[in-house]
Amino acid sequence: MRILGIDPALRVTGYGALIADRGKLTLLEGGIVSPKTEETLERRLAALHDGLCAVFASVRPDVVVIEDIYTTYRNPRTAILMGHARGVMCLAAAQANVPVQTLGHSRVKSALVGSGSARKDQVNAMVTHLLGLRQAPKPNDVSDALALAIAWANIVAR
């Protein structure tokens, strides 16, 4: 199964693709889509959409896993902006005919590290270990996206 994890954001969206086959994980690719921050919201969303469509065409995933929105009540604008970004991601997935799954960050951390309150560096270290990488994926947005894909592979394999 080809799994594409996406760590959503308007500034730097990380993505990571892997193949999960009988408990073995193989990295396909990882990277970022980074719209220009000086652009209008509409142009940034269009750039995000175009970048993700290119990723879908390259990776040809069977499923995409997007992180659930996480924000506190103090930052409702952040939640709204993330909703726009996630909507574009869902649109790109629908256009590629790929089903969308979502996972919360604590469930991802728990699936990889065993604790829903694990630190980013712990998750990054586990991603590096599980994929047999020589060095940790950079930036952290890529590692977070790969963590989503790995967590989904672990959940589906159960």
Side-chain angles (χ1 to χ4, degrees):
M1 171 183 289
R2 288 174 174 256
I3 305 169
L4 175 63
I6 300 177
D7 182 37
L10 271 175
R11 291 184 181 181
V12 179
T13 290
Y15 69 89
L18 55 84
I19 295 175
D21 185 25
R22 290 177 236 159
K24 183 176 185 229
L25 301 173
T26 305
L27 176 66
L28 287 174
E29 69 177 80
I32 60 170
V33 178
S34 187
K36 295 178 182 175
T37 56
E38 65 273 8
E39 293 283 354
T40 64
L41 175 61
E42 300 82 33
R43 295 296 341 140
R44 289 166 61 195
L45 291 171
L48 184 59
H49 179 264
D50 292 347
L52 289 172
C53 285
V55 170
F56 277 97
S58 170
V59 172
R60 299 181 330 264
D62 298 307
V63 64
V64 62
V65 185
I66 301 173
E67 187 177 66
D68 274 337
I69 291 177
Y70 172 76
T71 188
T72 61
Y73 183 72
R74 295 179 322 201
N75 300 312
R77 179 166 165 72
T78 301
I80 292 168
L81 291 173
M82 288 304 298
H84 290 314
R86 290 183 83 245
V88 165
M89 293 166 193
C90 292
L91 173 62
Q95 290 173 327
N97 202 27
V98 178
V100 175
Q101 302 294 330
T102 60
L103 288 175
H105 71 278
S106 61
R107 186 145 186 224
V108 173
K109 291 175 180 183
S110 183
L112 266 72
V113 182
S115 169
S117 60
R119 297 181 322 269
K120 264 196 187 297
D121 62 319
Q122 292 174 303
V123 173
N124 198 324
M126 189 56 76
V127 166
T128 303
H129 171 72
L130 291 172
L131 294 177
L133 304 175
R134 291 188 176 145
Q135 51 187 307
K138 296 289 181 192
N140 280 337
D141 309 278
V142 176
S143 180
D144 291 349
L146 288 167
L148 282 157
I150 293 168
W152 184 254
N154 289 341
I155 291 167
V156 170
R158 288 183 182 176

